[in-house]
Amino acid sequence: MSARFTAPRGTNDFSGPRARRMLAVLDTARRAAERFGYDPVDTPIFEASEVFARSIGEDTDIVSKEMYTFQDRKGRSLTLRPEGTAGVVRALIEGNLVTSGPARLYYWGPMFRYERPQAGRYRQFFQFGVEAFGEAGATADAQTIHLLREIGRGLGLSDLSVVINSVGCPGCRRDYGARLVQTLRPRASDLCPDCLGRLERNPLRILDCKVVRCQEAHVGIPSILDALCAPCRAHHDALLGHLSDLAIPYTQDPRLVRGLDYYTRTAFEVRIPGHEGAQNALGGGGRYDLLVEHLGGRPTPAIGFAIGVERILALLEQVGIDPIPLGAPRVYIASVGVRARARALVLASALRSEGVACTLDGSDGGFGRQLRSAHREGATLALIMGDDEVGRDTVALKNMAAGTQEETPLGTIVEAIQARLAVLGAAARGEGTHA
Ligand code: AMP
């Protein structure tokens, strides 16, 4: 007996309605991004490890604990992408994509993090993300957050809560880091070993620590919002004003630093209201004005976000929203007999070239079995063709929902089907039909 294989721990197979729902979510997100002027970009799922280490930061959980890193046959260190931004920035620099004016790009695909799998946390998960390059103003931040909300609205999730913060510039962070160290050093014995190291190297990272004991030691720490320099403060205030202009409700959380080092100024997250806990973030992002230069490009301000597709699917299921659009009507051709089968094959081809989705049985079963398949596939119409009907140049046309059936001439069957589908489609959309 051969071994039974299972999917690797922390990964998911998508099939049936779940696979369709995932595509529906991506489609909604893509259409919203295109309304905001974004173009698609696709980058490899692995990059030189250094691309991620330099961008995301050596002290982050992602780089220090979660990367899928391997050596290829020539001994190069490569890493499966744990997030999308670093690769897009690498591509932007390499392809010189910011020429005159801003570049707005969106992507989707699998990301990989070696995390402890649990509900909403996987080792391979899908993200949809956007990145806008070349715009430093707070209106770009506001529009980015607006787009994230618009994607939620397009999916029927209109009450997502926006949490925002400013992590300032390196200057603000130096000042704030010093204050944080001053407050936390006396509590060093309560910090986890990772944070003890961060206290010396990268104090802001401490705010992102997931260890409960460590979080308890943070009570009463200073707020980064009180440590912003004047330009960072002005940018943040302008953003808050624009969010109000757009009637986007938000809360501020001065501890929101997100798990990546590259953010400057704005950091934000969209959460499910009423759901506390680590897995309640549907998506998040921020500004990263120094990253392009840091990876070797020309200084280019930038802002983006990524949303977790599995988390969105889980939420949609929880609130009872099915994102699959009304399925395109489908025609099923049932045929028995040598001549009928040959005609069925040709007719299916004619319908498909007219844009009508059409299937026919490939297992040589009888009519009963074929019509059961038509039901299972959700066909709107079925054509029933035996050698007798074909001999008379007719076919039986069956309305699957109503169960009614009528004999129709084969010569005009394509037009007859298109007319029926137009009427049935209008009825499914709730539009009035004329006799
Ligand atoms: P990040 O790239 O960490 O900013 O995460 C952006 C979004 O991706 C999160 O809000 C989640 O929705 C999703 N996400 C991040 N990590 C995982 C994971 N391990 N499993 C599933 N979704 C994730």
Side-chain angles (χ1 to χ4, degrees):
M1 236 174 80
S2 61
R4 269 174 74 88
F5 294 113
T6 54
R9 190 164 139 75
T11 67
N12 291 294
D13 294 317
F14 285 85
S15 61
R18 204 156 168 256
R20 286 200 175 276
R21 284 189 192 113
M22 178 188 219
L23 289 181
V25 167
L26 293 168
D27 203 44
T28 302
R30 181 182 64 75
R31 278 185 284 118
E34 293 199 348
R35 286 199 301 278
F36 279 71
Y38 285 78
D39 290 314
V41 67
D42 194 34
T43 63
I45 59 164
F46 57 86
E47 297 273 353
S49 304
E50 189 60 14
V51 170
F52 302 115
R54 275 184 77 99
S55 323
I56 300 167
E58 301 277 2
D59 283 319
T60 59
D61 280 353
I62 295 181
V63 171
S64 63
K65 301 178 188 160
E66 297 170 0
M67 297 217 297
Y68 277 94
T69 296
F70 59 97
Q71 291 211 330
D72 74 2
R73 288 169 190 274
K74 285 270 165 65
R76 303 177 192 96
S77 178
L78 299 171
T79 295
L80 297 183
R81 62 182 180 195
E83 55 95 61
T85 304
V88 171
V89 170
R90 195 269 310 137
L92 176 103
I93 299 168
E94 189 173 341
N96 200 16
L97 301 182
V98 182
T99 41
S100 53
R104 300 188 194 93
L105 303 169
Y106 71 83
Y107 61 85
W108 70 275
M111 306 294 158
F112 306 85
R113 295 183 195 171
Y114 194 84
E115 297 200 76
R116 199 150 58 82
Q118 48 189 293
R121 189 177 288 270
Y122 307 105
R123 290 183 173 170
Q124 173 176 313
F125 56 96
F126 278 79
Q127 282 187 342
F128 175 90
V130 305
E131 318 289 354
F133 297 96
E135 294 172 308
T139 47
D141 306 37
Q143 290 192 85
T144 306
I145 294 171
H146 190 197
L147 170 55
L148 184 43
R149 290 250 312 174
E150 278 297 290
I151 294 173
R153 202 178 58 86
L155 291 165
L157 304 168
S158 11
D159 61 344
L160 298 178
S161 60
V162 177
V163 183
I164 73 167
N165 189 26
S166 173
V167 294
C169 61
C172 317
R173 276 214 287 272
R174 216 173 9 256
D175 291 349
Y176 176 67
R179 289 197 215 175
L180 204 54
V181 171
Q182 213 175 24
T183 313
L184 287 177
R185 190 157 279 141
R187 309 177 196 172
S189 56
D190 296 329
L191 300 179
C192 73
D194 282 348
C195 282
L196 276 179
R198 290 166 178 152
L199 204 56
E200 305 306 324
R201 292 189 310 270
N202 194 345
L204 215 70
R205 274 283 114 239
I206 292 177
L207 299 184
D208 199 40
C209 183
K210 312 272 182 327
V211 177
V212 176
R213 174 168 69 101
C214 223
Q215 289 179 348
E216 285 167 1
H218 296 176
V219 177
I221 54 171
S223 161
I224 191 162
L225 289 173
D226 296 331
L228 297 180
C229 66
C232 287
R233 178 81 250 168
H235 184 93
H236 192 61
D237 288 344
L239 169 59
L240 299 186
H242 292 321
L243 291 178
S244 301
D245 295 338
L246 288 166
I248 297 177
Y250 61 84
T251 53
Q252 296 200 70
D253 178 358
R255 302 187 40 140
L256 180 77
V257 289
R258 317 218 62 251
L260 310 106
D261 266 357
Y262 51 60
Y263 290 123
T264 45
R265 297 189 168 170
T266 310
F268 59 92
E269 215 159 75
V270 168
R271 296 186 186 154
I272 316 167
H275 284 67
E276 297 313 318
Q279 267 72 258
N280 77 342
L282 289 182
R287 187 166 268 294
Y288 49 95
D289 289 346
L290 305 175
L291 182 59
V292 178
E293 197 179 353
H294 189 61
L295 285 187
R298 277 198 293 267
T300 310
I303 181 161
F305 67 73
I307 53 180
V309 177
E310 286 84 352
R311 291 207 191 155
I312 293 202
L313 288 174
L315 175 62
L316 289 172
E317 197 171 320
Q318 215 175 328
V319 299
I321 296 175
D322 189 343
I324 305 179
L326 281 180
R330 233 194 248 198
V331 175
Y332 188 97
I333 308 184
S335 61
V336 171
V338 177
R339 287 176 65 201
R341 291 213 151 253
R343 285 301 285 269
L345 209 53
V346 174
L347 182 53
S349 151
L351 283 168
R352 290 175 190 139
S353 50
E354 289 300 318
V356 177
C358 178
T359 50
L360 56 82
D361 179 72
S363 63
D364 291 341
F367 278 126
R369 175 174 164 168
Q370 294 186 46
L371 286 171
R372 279 196 295 281
S373 297
H375 264 297
R376 207 175 39 245
E377 290 184 18
T380 317
L381 296 174
L383 296 183
I384 302 167
M385 303 169 73
D387 282 345
D388 283 355
E389 283 93 345
V390 171
R392 292 197 302 275
D393 264 336
T394 62
V395 59
L397 179 56
K398 178 168 179 151
N399 177 327
M400 293 297 287
T404 51
Q405 191 167 314
E406 56 190 308
E407 190 135 336
T408 314
L410 252 176
T412 53
I413 189 67
V414 173
E415 294 79 1
I417 286 172
Q418 284 174 319
R420 298 283 189 301
L421 290 179
V423 172
L424 291 169
R429 289 191 299 274
E431 296 162 14
T433 51
H434 303 285

